[in-house]
Amino acid sequence: MNEVVAYIQARKERFVADLKEWLTIPSISGDPAHAADVRRSADWLADHLRGHGFPTVEIWETPGHPAVYAEWPAEDPDAPAVVVYGHHDVQPVEPLDEWDTDPFDPVERGEQLIGRGASDDKGQIFFHTLGLRAGIAASGRQAPPVTIKLLVEGEEESGSVHFADLLWAHRERLSCDAVVISDTTMWAADVPSMCTGMRGLTEAEVTLRGPSRDLHSGSFGGAVPNPLHAMAELLAALHDADNRVAVPGFYDDVVPLTDEERTLFARLPFDEDEWLRGAGDSRATHGEKGYTTLERIWARPTAEINGMWGGHTGPGGKTIVPSEAHAKVSFRLVAGQDPRKIQMAFEAWVNEHVPPGIEADVDVPGSGVRPCFSPIDSAGVSAARRAMERAFGTDVLFTREGGSGPEADLADVLEAPLIFVAVGLNGDRIHAPNEKVEIPLLLKGAEAVAYLWEELATALR
């Protein structure tokens, strides 16, 4: 047993006890009734960090919920600096009757810790505190080999609405050579992996207008354009025969998968039939021709029809030509794509595809979420992979995630590459009742980051 592992094992019980105490705070950022609890969570973390060696700890205010900032400088003033990102707010807990235990009275069940925030994201940000101290103790130094800047926001689960402004306001303080993200998952407990990207998102609502009022279909049907017919034709044309998005320019900026990435994805033990059962008992896979299921959901952009309505939808018949038709569409974006550019391309495509007599309106709610991506051969990702392999004792593979988060803001504002180091599992029931985390994986996460700072001290110079 090396010194890092010995340090972690000796403090395992205290680590779990402290984490359980933090998890008792119902820091639900999306519920105004819990605003005081989100602040209490920030205060708790700040006090904990002060008591465990961080020389600088501050509460950073926003117009919403507070973030926590802590800094531990390296002994070498020329050493690289790394921002570690996570969040201390949590999801709501309803439906309560589906929880086996009180969501804010965390319990240990074997090697699992059950409670809201155990995996997403309190547990995963917490292992950094133990790993940092383990690395320092094992080195015999008084400070880490890189400057650590810990940033833990309080609004991730409610959209990170003030996060970009927070980054801009503190950009100089947050200056760094890399950003480590611990808010994702691994493939499996026995198949350690690293995420290298998250898809972005933009949405639109389309309204097609024809006559100024609903018309009698016997008197006017077949003689004037029908907005619902036009909408059906429009949405049917959104994909071509190979299930590629038909909007011109949609793929122009997409960063393609490399052969190595495709090979590493293929090494993951993916059971497509089991995946289909978990996908609402879907009967078949579907998507862009030429790509596997994992490639489609991780590294290829999509267009989805989320809803459509118009005309008469109540009981009985109503023979009309409706005056309007509506649809909601969303686009998942991948590395290289810009949400605003996609919004403009889609609006132009809609206007070009409506028939005479139909007016189109495309409403876009907000600027969208940008995708983020880290090349697997970058210095930071390679260093993190070595650290993970030291901790887990086996090859580390790569994944991406289909969801979206504030990671692109971190990369853009701080102009630093992203490195994803996390030990959560897809089976942790994140955002669902009975959320849990595997305690041995949290300890492996602590071990990995103890090695990570040594690796990055060399790799980022």
Side-chain angles (χ1 to χ4, degrees), residues 25-28 31-43 65-66:
I25 303 174
S27 50
I28 305 170
D31 185 347
H34 285 281
D37 293 316
V38 181
R39 178 166 297 279
R40 188 156 58 94
S41 172
D43 290 339
H65 299 297

Side-chain angles (χ1 to χ4, degrees), residues 316-354:
K318 186 179 183 184
T319 52
I320 61 169
V321 175
S323 63
E324 294 186 356
H326 307 268
K328 290 182 181 288
V329 179
S330 63
F331 300 89
R332 291 288 178 175
L333 310 179
V334 298
Q337 289 182 298
D338 176 73
R340 183 56 187 153
K341 187 174 180 179
I342 298 302
Q343 293 167 0
M344 294 171 64
F346 178 64
E347 184 173 5
W349 179 83
V350 169
N351 287 320
E352 290 172 2
H353 281 73
V354 292

Side-chain angles (χ1 to χ4, degrees), residues 201-206 328-330 340 343 362-369:
L201 173 68
T202 190
E203 301 170 88
E205 181 172 322
V206 181
K328 290 182 181 288
V329 179
S330 63
R340 183 56 187 153
Q343 293 167 0
V362 179
D363 180 55
V364 176
S367 59
V369 178

Side-chain angles (χ1 to χ4, degrees), residues 80 82 145-146 177-178 377-386 417 419 451-461:
V82 179
V146 297
D177 298 283
D377 58 356
S378 67
V381 172
S382 298
R385 189 182 190 186
R386 291 192 296 270
I419 304 168
Y451 305 143
L452 176 61
W453 310 133
E454 300 174 9
E455 296 283 357
L456 290 179
T458 301
L460 297 180
R461 284 187 183 271

Side-chain angles (χ1 to χ4, degrees), residues 259-461:
D259 290 342
E260 184 180 7
E261 285 177 302
R262 300 188 81 169
T263 298
L264 291 170
F265 284 1
R267 286 178 57 189
L268 293 165
F270 178 62
D271 185 326
E272 195 161 87
D273 290 336
E274 182 180 349
W275 181 85
L276 283 169
R277 286 191 292 272
D281 294 312
S282 296
R283 297 172 179 82
T285 60
H286 177 80
E288 186 182 359
K289 185 177 179 179
Y291 294 91
T292 67
T293 297
L294 289 180
E295 290 168 352
R296 289 169 183 162
I297 60 177
W298 286 346
R300 298 300 296 170
T302 65
E304 293 292 341
I305 302 164
N306 307 127
M308 52 192 299
W309 66 99
H312 177 64
T313 58
K318 186 179 183 184
T319 52
I320 61 169
V321 175
S323 63
E324 294 186 356
H326 307 268
K328 290 182 181 288
V329 179
S330 63
F331 300 89
R332 291 288 178 175
L333 310 179
V334 298
Q337 289 182 298
D338 176 73
R340 183 56 187 153
K341 187 174 180 179
I342 298 302
Q343 293 167 0
M344 294 171 64
F346 178 64
E347 184 173 5
W349 179 83
V350 169
N351 287 320
E352 290 172 2
H353 281 73
V354 292
I358 297 291
E359 293 181 351
D361 178 60
V362 179
D363 180 55
V364 176
S367 59
V369 178
R370 295 182 304 284
C372 63
F373 173 64
S374 299
I376 63 174
D377 58 356
S378 67
V381 172
S382 298
R385 189 182 190 186
R386 291 192 296 270
M388 290 277 285
E389 288 177 344
R390 285 176 65 184
F392 283 89
T394 188
D395 287 346
V396 169
L397 301 179
F398 291 103
T399 66
R400 296 194 197 179
E401 293 208 357
S404 308
E407 288 76 13
D409 286 331
L410 283 157
D412 291 350
V413 176
L414 302 185
E415 298 180 335
L418 302 180
I419 304 168
F420 294 85
V421 176
V423 295
L425 300 175
N426 287 330
D428 282 348
R429 298 185 289 273
I430 293 169
H431 292 199
N434 301 308
E435 179 181 348
K436 60 85 177 174
V437 74
E438 302 291 332
I439 295 172
L441 288 184
L442 290 181
L443 302 180
K444 281 294 184 185
E447 183 183 352
V449 296
Y451 305 143
L452 176 61
W453 310 133
E454 300 174 9
E455 296 283 357
L456 290 179
T458 301
L460 297 180
R461 284 187 183 271

Side-chain angles (χ1 to χ4, degrees), residues 45-80:
L45 178 60
D47 288 343
H48 180 85
L49 296 174
R50 291 187 188 102
H52 286 79
F54 275 87
T56 298
V57 181
E58 300 169 2
I59 301 290
W60 283 359
E61 301 294 344
T62 77
H65 299 297
V68 177
Y69 174 77
E71 184 173 337
W72 199 324
E75 289 182 342
D76 178 0
D78 296 323

Side-chain angles (χ1 to χ4, degrees), residues 89-120:
D89 63 318
V90 300
Q91 279 277 313
V93 294
E94 289 76 18
L96 270 172
D97 59 359
E98 294 186 15
W99 284 81
D100 296 332
T101 60
D102 185 328
F104 294 111
D105 185 10
V107 298
E108 293 178 61
R109 185 173 294 163
E111 293 188 324
Q112 296 181 350
L113 179 60
I114 300 169
R116 177 58 90 223
S119 180
D120 182 24

